[in-house]
Amino acid sequence: MTPLRHAADRARIVRTPDGAELRTHIRGPERAPVAAVLAHGWMQASDTWRLQAARLASAGDDAVRTVRWDGRGHGGSTPGTRPIANAALGDDLLRVLQDCAPEGPVVLAGHSMGGRAIMALAAAHPELFGERVAGVLLVATAAGRLETTGPGHTVGARMAGGARLAAMRSLRRVPAAVDRLRALLPPRSAAYRAAVRRVAFGAAADPVRVRECAELIHGTPTEVAAGFYETLAAEDLSGGLAALREVPVRILAGGRDRLIGRGGTRALARALPHARLRVLPGRGHMLPLEAPEAVGDELAEMCRAAARRPGGD
């Protein structure tokens, strides 16, 4: 047998019909029996998954080909001209899959917004799940509406949700001015990092990881951040999850996730009753950075299972 080839990250640009250029990073053996395609969250970038990608790609006989990509408008990817929507995220994921992992079994992992990209792909292309897609890891994500403006929420929650939505719409009207103001509070500042820790991490998070997250947030343009917030908050993807019931699914959640909340996690687990749910006590929303070992363990187990399935190499 020819030995598997290992290499450092290999950059590739995937182009979409509307002109977006998606920056991808490919790592690991070219002939690995399984590929893992990793999608990041809102106001983040593919570096969110760098620790897990490095681990998977260097796992000896179990090494995996990893593909991590910057969502449109995030990191090194351009926004294109298509209106922002979950469907666009799903179509972008399909193009990355076709271009960077065209053959063999694939495990998809999505954090937050990346999880919703997987759900959108499942709704639009259910035929991929069970054939190409051999497993799905959903990290700190939800299928339902994330905003609290609708029925079923308290008056206080609806008012707060309406205020957040109005604020994001206002920011989107003057993005350049807001970006200039944001530059006055850099991510290295204690106040910035404290805010990021409170919103996205548990109390015991590594300060280095908190700063990494703050830098990624700071690098996301206001127009992109505000635009994605509205579509992520308003759209309900729970009606298009049937294809995910055809493959192994694991749900990983933080016990102190203030962005998704226990309600979002419980609703996703009810919609996917066969999925294995694991909640990490005391951890927040940014699990790939805050709990890299736990996330890596789940992903590695899913990749090993995909390699052992009938028809796998």
Side-chain angles (χ1 to χ4, degrees), residues 98-203:
Q98 291 172 332
D99 191 280
C100 301
E103 298 178 348
V106 175
V107 171
L108 301 180
H111 170 248
S112 192
M113 181 181 78
R116 292 172 76 85
I118 295 172
M119 297 174 208
L121 176 66
H125 297 279
E127 72 281 357
L128 296 174
F129 291 77
E131 292 294 331
R132 288 295 326 282
V133 179
V136 171
L137 176 62
L138 300 173
V139 181
T141 191
R145 287 170 53 95
L146 300 179
E147 197 46 89
T148 58
T149 53
H153 297 283
T154 65
V155 173
R158 290 200 299 270
M159 291 178 64
R164 285 191 296 269
L165 198 55
M168 287 294 175
R169 288 172 176 169
S170 297
L171 295 178
R172 201 175 181 186
R173 295 189 189 102
V174 287
V178 176
D179 283 336
R180 287 194 293 271
L181 290 174
R182 290 173 65 195
L184 300 177
L185 186 64
R188 64 177 178 273
S189 70
Y192 199 123
R193 288 178 297 186
V196 170
R197 177 188 290 276
R198 174 169 177 76
V199 172
F201 289 84

Side-chain angles (χ1 to χ4, degrees), residues 34 105 107 134-135 248 250 298-310 312:
V34 177
V107 171
R250 297 189 184 190
E298 298 287 342
L299 191 50
E301 287 180 17
M302 298 199 80
C303 289
R304 286 194 293 268
R308 292 194 300 265
R309 74 174 190 165

Side-chain angles (χ1 to χ4, degrees), residues 51-119:
L51 299 173
Q52 291 78 23
R55 170 180 170 177
L56 289 173
S58 59
D61 292 340
D62 293 324
V64 171
R65 177 182 172 90
T66 63
V67 180
R68 52 190 179 92
W69 57 291
D70 293 339
R72 58 174 57 218
H74 292 74
S77 294
T78 62
T81 59
R82 183 175 179 178
I84 295 172
N86 286 292
L89 295 175
D91 290 345
D92 290 347
L93 175 53
L94 176 62
R95 292 196 169 272
V96 170
L97 183 61
Q98 291 172 332
D99 191 280
C100 301
E103 298 178 348
V106 175
V107 171
L108 301 180
H111 170 248
S112 192
M113 181 181 78
R116 292 172 76 85
I118 295 172
M119 297 174 208

Side-chain angles (χ1 to χ4, degrees), residues 15-85:
R15 293 175 173 82
T16 70
D18 68 305
E21 295 185 347
L22 308 177
R23 184 179 66 177
T24 69
H25 300 278
I26 304 169
R27 187 168 185 170
E30 295 179 3
R31 297 181 56 253
V34 177
V37 179
L38 315 174
H40 66 79
W42 177 56
M43 297 185 72
Q44 297 294 297
S46 59
D47 276 356
T48 301
W49 287 104
R50 64 181 178 79
L51 299 173
Q52 291 78 23
R55 170 180 170 177
L56 289 173
S58 59
D61 292 340
D62 293 324
V64 171
R65 177 182 172 90
T66 63
V67 180
R68 52 190 179 92
W69 57 291
D70 293 339
R72 58 174 57 218
H74 292 74
S77 294
T78 62
T81 59
R82 183 175 179 178
I84 295 172

